[in-house]
Amino acid sequence: TPPGTYESHIMLGNEMHKVKMIVQPTIAIGVFPNTFTFQDTTPGKTHIAVITLSNNGNMPFQVPELKHAAVLDMDLLCRAFGKGFREKGKDDLMSTLNEVTRNLKNNLTDWVSISVDEHGQIVQPGESLLLHVNFTLPKNADSRRDYDGNFRFWDKEISVVIKSHRETNKNISYEHR
């Protein structure tokens, strides 16, 4: 029901009563799916997620423009703390934490660029639209590492995992002897 004030009548017992109903404006969306897994962490690689956006509210919804998100190497924190404690663990706490921080800074990737092909389009209440969301890995991503992260789409959170994938030229053969 569109936002507004509506008047009607209701019968209570044998009497007719006038009622006033106020419908508040509501923006409510659904996104499906909200979790994606891609393969290939080559720097500059673009992955495309197709998401169904449903307008469950009572107002038109404009597809937002997305810019960037953070993805983290899945082993970043473990590696940084491990290195910090191995190299400086016998020193004082501050030098250990400085080493952890230095390692985090040296291995943190830049932002992942995100764009939505359909940004700016209007989805009317009760309607749905397929969205094409592009994720471009930063130039300083490491193709040997796995990344994961989340980004906000209006009031929804979408999770992305990007798994490294390296083809090998090794021919493996199994022979019976």
Side-chain angles (χ1 to χ4, degrees):
T1 304
T5 302
Y6 299 88
E7 292 185 3
S8 187
H9 293 86
I10 188 169
M11 180 71 81
L12 292 176
N14 292 332
E15 294 183 33
M16 184 66 73
H17 296 274
K18 186 175 180 180
V19 294
K20 185 184 286 188
M21 297 168 282
I22 301 172
V23 177
Q24 298 296 330
T26 304
I27 294 177
I29 63 165
V31 292
F32 182 81
N34 63 358
T35 302
F36 293 91
T37 302
F38 299 108
Q39 197 170 41
D40 190 353
T41 56
T42 302
K45 172 75 176 174
T46 298
H47 296 284
I48 301 171
V50 179
I51 297 173
T52 300
L53 167 67
S54 301
N55 185 346
N56 303 324
N58 61 9
M59 298 177 55
F61 180 79
Q62 185 173 27
V63 178
E65 180 178 9
L66 303 178
K67 303 256 186 201
H68 61 266
V71 292
L72 293 178
D73 165 1
M74 291 181 173
D75 297 320
L76 177 67
L77 294 175
C78 184
R79 211 174 33 252
F81 276 96
K83 184 173 185 202
F85 282 103
R86 275 194 227 54
E87 292 188 11
K88 302 289 184 175
K90 293 183 175 135
D91 297 347
D92 63 82
L93 178 63
M94 287 312 292
S95 63
T96 302
L97 292 177
N98 284 340
E99 183 61 31
V100 170
T101 303
R102 187 175 8 272
N103 191 278
L104 288 172
K105 282 182 175 180
N106 290 340
N107 289 286
L108 191 63
T109 63
D110 294 335
W111 295 107
V112 170
S113 296
I114 301 178
S115 64
V116 181
D117 292 348
E118 296 78 12
H119 80 273
Q121 290 190 29
I122 305 295
V123 182
Q124 295 299 324
E127 293 183 357
S128 295
L129 179 66
L130 283 181
L131 303 180
H132 298 82
V133 183
N134 306 287
F135 301 91
T136 303
L137 286 162
K139 298 293 183 192
N140 66 341
D142 187 330
S143 64
R144 300 165 299 169
R145 296 186 176 159
D146 301 330
Y147 295 93
D148 72 336
N150 300 315
F151 71 94
R152 188 175 56 82
F153 185 91
W154 185 245
D155 63 347
K156 304 298 180 212
E157 189 168 299
I158 297 175
S159 299
V160 177
V161 172
I162 307 172
K163 174 83 177 86
S164 64
H165 180 71
R166 294 178 300 281
E167 294 290 332
T168 63
N169 293 327
K170 296 179 184 176
N171 292 325
I172 300 173
S173 63
Y174 299 93
E175 298 177 17
H176 283 73
R177 294 183 187 201

